[in-house]
């Protein structure tokens, strides 16, 4: 259970400014750190800084007066022994600290670790409280009072940077007070989901052992019970339930405890035979007990029919009642009128008996089979020397540090614990006062479950995940199995017009798998009398305490329900309603014991909280769908036809929200092509709309034949203007954007590019080498007043130019330099087509769960065949016009373009004449034969021609009008010195 509701995320040192180490350094330098660090960690850092702690000068205090045999130690020793066996051979270190952060116990998966680690990680007594040790698992668990995970550089101390840990407070089950902290430390690479499960179950086991050390009232009842030892006539044999933990499955134990609790709540002497699911029978006998001080209680003993008492039997090892990590928590129930006590309280045996009380003292009533003479039990202050007995000694795994081994002699010694002897006549299962402490404990458990629900449910804005969180929270604290059914419309983010007819099984979760529930993804049709449909109709939870008697539920599908009845006993169906919208239905099933009214109220509260989170997720899904539709609508729907580059592209939206990434391919004059990639800062509808405005503006500026640096300058001015035009006047509408613009010329095999705060492009050379051009970063768009620099890069034919947005390489859990190297390896395959390159990059480089949009553009460049290019240079002499025109016509005729030659001849005549009359030498003419025929005339003058409509009396002014009529497009392109007038003729039209 991750009570903080935060997904674990690996972390560690980083050098790129994105990892926790770099963020921690920024924090220590006083810089604001708002993203990339979990809230609990950032809060802890802030507390450490306010205390004046220094990461490289943290000296942990050592306490010599810590209690090595205290209450938490006695409860934790056997649990830690089992954890050590579980993690044997691993680098896991296990520790238990008290409520002040002082480590009391240490265990190591690999014992050799104790020889290599420093004293603070080996020797008990060092204090790990946050106020002296900084951010660490033990200190933060005490400060946050919940399960905590700390990874690598999230630790405040420098010495802990290579470690990770998970820590969980251990509470007194009755008072709710934190008694200590259980912590598992391990190398960062050892992270396992099972660690969270192990520490939760281990902490619960310690808490149950603490419960066994309960109040003096229960100890007094226990002493009276042990001293009495009578009332066993007629019983064949008895045994403590938890002494047979290996024989009774956990669910059988829970059934017996549930029935024992019912007997105690009755407050009278009685007996009941319990038939377990496998057919075995156990008799539970209740017997009133009164302590010397007058405390009234009930003792529940378990009796099984079997061989005669005199037949030799093997006495099983006395184990802790909840020793295994797999032992379930005590089920929540409205009727919880008793406290389950620890194991080993046998009232009669073949020799003297030693039984521990709640505080580590012992009671030695003595006696043999049959009635026992009462003996005065010693107090907890009895010296150790007086606690020894001739009876069996506690096992090493169960004996606390304050309990010496029993001396041999006078009966069964320590070695005789596993020897054959008569089975004890009776065994204690549960002892307690009717109606005392039970409801407080049950209420506290429910409050804990609701508190847990507030942090576990709704951690994401995903409808399915939120439903799963409801199920995971309810199992096993409330139910054994949970199914959740949601309408298809809700899963899409919409309101369902008919939720009853539109339900689909969304979640199936339980303590085990393999039950015959309808699997996820299948349609679910509930009959009119089923509890699920009734709860949807009434809007209230419906309780079926005994499904075998629930006619409506049985009638839905007799064959299916019959199979389920072999596994479940009781059902609560709860509607998922939020803001007047029906979102689905949740079904809670219990296998052992019926639900009660309090369980129904708890299920209703859990479902109400979850429904609100599901509705929030549904609304978010709806909004995200609209934003994503707008984003995709504003992106290019297809790529233009051109011969300069072979292009492939990908757009991958972020999992959590949609941003403003875009790409574009823009055909330009002179057979060139513009490649554009940009990213608007922020997410949501505003970013998507702003992206559309910027992409349109960028395409317009590019089609005006501005060079890349000028295009970025115009975009920079536009973004600044959009900020100033923000309706709120606060500039919160558009924060900024980044952009990379490249123009490739296939005639010269050169690429001119500039960027504005955008990641650099990658160039894949024909020989397989991958480089990142040294391109000036430039400021992000929107800052204003800062220049942009363009760089020209040679791209031989077959090279690939890869443009991308920062979502591909920047991730809080990854180092950017490492990702760029990973990208280099993925691109080092020049034989791949652009489509294959795109897919390979997304498969190997893109994060599995992107937090930002990813736009990727891969272009393989081609060179124009020199045979398709013709060029002439002439002086400003009108007599040369005819000569160049004739040469051009011969060149076109040689290529079979005679029909196009007429239009080209007129265009060249007009453009060359204008250049001679209004321009400046040198004058150059160029023909480019590709998909179209492009006629270019350049001169050294910056004077641009203007198309105008000549009057009937004008002698001139019709030249450009003719050019516009004969060509499909024409324009002016400025050079560093001079200009180019170009006209493009459609070959098909000719």
């Amino acid at each position: 259970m991750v009570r903080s509701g935060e997904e674990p995320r690996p972390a560690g040192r980083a050098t790129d400014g994105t990892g926790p180490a770099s963020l921690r350094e920024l924090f220590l330098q006083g810089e604001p750190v708002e993203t990339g660090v979990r809230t609990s960690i950032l809060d802890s850092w802030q507390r450490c800084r306010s205390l004046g702690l220094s990461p490289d000068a943290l000296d942990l205090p050592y306490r010599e007066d810590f209690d090595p045999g205290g209450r938490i130690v006695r409860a934790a020793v056997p649990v830690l022994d089992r954890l050590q066996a579980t993690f044997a051979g691993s680098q896991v270190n296990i520790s238990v600290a008290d409520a002040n952060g002082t480590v009391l116990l240490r265990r190591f998966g690999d014992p050799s670790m104790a020889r290599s680690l420093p004293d603070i990680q080996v020797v008990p007594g060092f204090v790990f409280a946050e106020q002296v040790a900084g951010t660490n698992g033990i200190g933060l668990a005490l400060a946050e009072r919940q399960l905590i995970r700390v990874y690598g550089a999230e630790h405040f101390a420098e010495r802990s940077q290579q470690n990770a840990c998970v820590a969980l407070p251990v509470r007194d089950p009755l008072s709710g007070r934190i008694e200590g902290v259980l912590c598992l430390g391990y190398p960062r690479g050892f992270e396992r989901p099972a660690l969270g499960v192990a520490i939760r179950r281990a902490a619960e086991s310690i808490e149950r052992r603490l419960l066994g050390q309960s109040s003096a009232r229960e100890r007094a009842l226990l002493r009276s019970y042990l001293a009495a030892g009578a009332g066993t006539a007629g019983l064949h044999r008895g045994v403590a339930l938890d002494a047979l933990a290996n024989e009774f499955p956990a669910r059988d134990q829970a059934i017996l405890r549930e029935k024992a609790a019912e007997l105690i709540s009755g407050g009278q002497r009685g007996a009941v035979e319990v038939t377990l699911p496998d057919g075995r029978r156990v008799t539970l006998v209740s017997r009133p007990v009164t302590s010397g001080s007058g405390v009234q209680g009930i003792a529940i003993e378990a009796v099984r029919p079997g061989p005669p008492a005199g037949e030799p039997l093997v006495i099983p090892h006395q184990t802790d009642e909840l020793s295994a990590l797999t032992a379930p928590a005590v089920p929540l129930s409205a009727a919880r009128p008793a406290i389950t006590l620890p194991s080993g309280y046998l009232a009669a045996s073949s020799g003297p008996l030693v039984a521990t009380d709640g505080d580590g003292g012992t009671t030695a009533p003595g006696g043999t089979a049959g009635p026992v003479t009462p003996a005065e039990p010693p107090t907890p202050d009895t010296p150790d020397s007086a606690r020894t007995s001739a009876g069996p000694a506690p096992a090493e795994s169960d004996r606390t540090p304050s309990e010496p081994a029993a001396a041999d002699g006078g009966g069964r010694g320590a070695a005789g614990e596993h020897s054959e002897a008569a089975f004890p006549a009776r065994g204690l299962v549960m002892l307690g006062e009717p109606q005392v402490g039970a409801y407080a404990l049950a209420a506290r458990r429910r409050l804990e479950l609701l508190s847990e629900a507030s942090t576990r449910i709704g951690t994401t804005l995903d409808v399915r995940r939120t439903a799963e969180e409801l199920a995971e929270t309810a199992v096993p604290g409330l139910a054994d199995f949970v199914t959740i059914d949601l309408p298809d419309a809700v899963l899409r983010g919409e309101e369902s017009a008919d939720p009853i007819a539109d339900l689909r099984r969304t979640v199936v979760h339980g303590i085990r798998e393999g039950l015959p529930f309808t699997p996820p993804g299948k349609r679910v049709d509930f009959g009119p009398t089923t509890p699920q449909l009734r709860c949807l109709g009434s809007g209230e939870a419906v309780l079926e305490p005994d499904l075998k008697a629930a006619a409506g539920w049985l009638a839905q599908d007799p064959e299916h329900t019959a199979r389920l009845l072999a596994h479940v006993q009781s059902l609560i169906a709860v509607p998922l309603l939020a803001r007047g919208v029906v979102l689905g239905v949740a079904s809670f099933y219990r296998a052992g014991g019926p639900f009660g009214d309090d369980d129904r109220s708890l299920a209703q509260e859990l479902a109400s909280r979850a429904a609100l989170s599901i509705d929030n997720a549904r609304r978010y899904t709806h909004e995200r769908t609209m934003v994503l539709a707008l984003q995709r609508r504003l992106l290019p729907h297809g790529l233009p036809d051109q011969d300069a580059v072979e292009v492939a592209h990908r757009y991958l939206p972020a999992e959590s929200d949609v941003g403003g990434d875009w790409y574009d391919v823009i055909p330009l004059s002179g057979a060139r092509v513009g490649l554009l990639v940009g990213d608007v800062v922020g997410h949501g509808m505003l970013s998507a709309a702003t992206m559309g405005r910027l992409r349109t503006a960028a395409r317009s500026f590019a089609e005006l034949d501005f060079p890349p640096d000028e295009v970025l300058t115009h975009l920079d001015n536009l973004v600044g203007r959009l900020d100033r035009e923000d309706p709120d006047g606060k500039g919160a509408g558009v924060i900024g954007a980044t952009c990379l613009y490249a123009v490739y010329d296939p005639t010269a095999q050169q690429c001119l590019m500039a960027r504005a705060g955008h990641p650099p492009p990658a160039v894949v050379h024909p020989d397989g080498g991958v480089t990142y051009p040294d391109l000036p970063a430039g400021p992000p768009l929107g800052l204003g007043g800062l220049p942009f620099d363009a760089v020209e890069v040679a791209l031989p034919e077959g090279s690939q130019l890869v443009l991308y947005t920062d979502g591909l390489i920047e991730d809080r859990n990854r180092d950017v330099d490492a990702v760029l190297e990973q990208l280099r390896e993925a691109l080092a395959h020049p034989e791949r087509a652009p489509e294959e390159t795109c897919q390979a990059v997304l498969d190997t480089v893109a994060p599995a769960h992107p937090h930002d949009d990813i736009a990727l553009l891969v272009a393989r460049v081609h060179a124009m065949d020199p045979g398709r290019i013709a060029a002439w240079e002439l002086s400003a002499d009108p007599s040369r016009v005819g000569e160049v025109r004739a040469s051009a016509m011969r060149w076109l005729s040689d290529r079979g373009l005679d029909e196009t030659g007429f239009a080209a001849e007129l265009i060249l005549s007009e453009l060359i004449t204008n250049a001679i009359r209004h321009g400046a030498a040198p004058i150059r003419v160029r023909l480019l034969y590709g998909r179209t025929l492009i006629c270019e005339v350049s001169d050294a003058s910056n004077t641009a021609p203007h198309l105008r409509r000549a009057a009937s009396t004008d002698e001139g002014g019709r030249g450009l009008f003719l050019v516009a009529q004969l060509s499909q497009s024409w324009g002016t392109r400025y050079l560093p010195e001079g200009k180019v007038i170009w006209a493009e003729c459609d070959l098909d039209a000719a």
Side-chain angles (χ1 to χ4, degrees), residues 24-65:
R24 187 175 64 103
E25 297 303 323
L26 290 176
F27 172 82
L28 294 174
Q29 295 169 11
E31 297 291 333
V33 178
E34 299 178 355
T35 59
V37 181
R38 292 181 289 152
T39 302
S40 58
I41 300 298
L42 183 58
D43 291 344
S44 178
W45 287 356
Q46 291 171 345
R47 291 193 296 266
C48 294
R49 184 171 62 181
S50 65
L51 293 171
L53 301 181
S54 175
D56 55 355
L58 284 175
D59 294 324
L60 302 187
Y62 178 80
R63 293 185 55 186
E64 296 182 351
D65 58 343

Side-chain angles (χ1 to χ4, degrees), residues 815-875:
D815 181 271
V816 170
D817 291 336
V819 176
L820 288 176
E821 185 60 32
Q822 189 177 7
L823 177 61
R824 186 195 305 272
E825 295 175 0
L827 294 176
H829 298 276
E831 73 282 357
R832 286 176 178 163
E835 284 288 344
E836 296 174 346
T837 301
C838 278
Q839 194 58 47
V841 169
L842 291 184
D843 291 342
T844 60
V845 181
H849 305 282
H851 297 284
D852 195 5
D853 291 14
I854 297 175
L856 178 64
L857 192 67
V858 177
R860 171 175 286 167
V861 302
H862 301 293
M864 180 170 278
D865 184 356
R868 290 175 171 261
I869 304 173
W872 298 271
E873 184 172 339
L874 64 155
S875 60

Side-chain angles (χ1 to χ4, degrees), residues 225-249:
Y225 169 84
L226 293 174
T232 60
L235 302 181
H236 291 88
R237 62 180 194 164
V239 59
L241 169 65
D242 31 351
L244 289 179
N246 292 332
E247 180 178 349
F248 285 99

Side-chain angles (χ1 to χ4, degrees), residues 913-937:
T913 301
N914 280 344
I916 292 175
R917 289 182 178 180
H918 307 291
I923 299 172
R924 296 182 177 88
V925 178
R926 188 170 71 158
L927 295 179
L928 303 176
Y929 171 32
R931 292 177 180 268
T932 61
L933 178 65
I934 301 173
C935 304
E936 295 183 344
V937 177

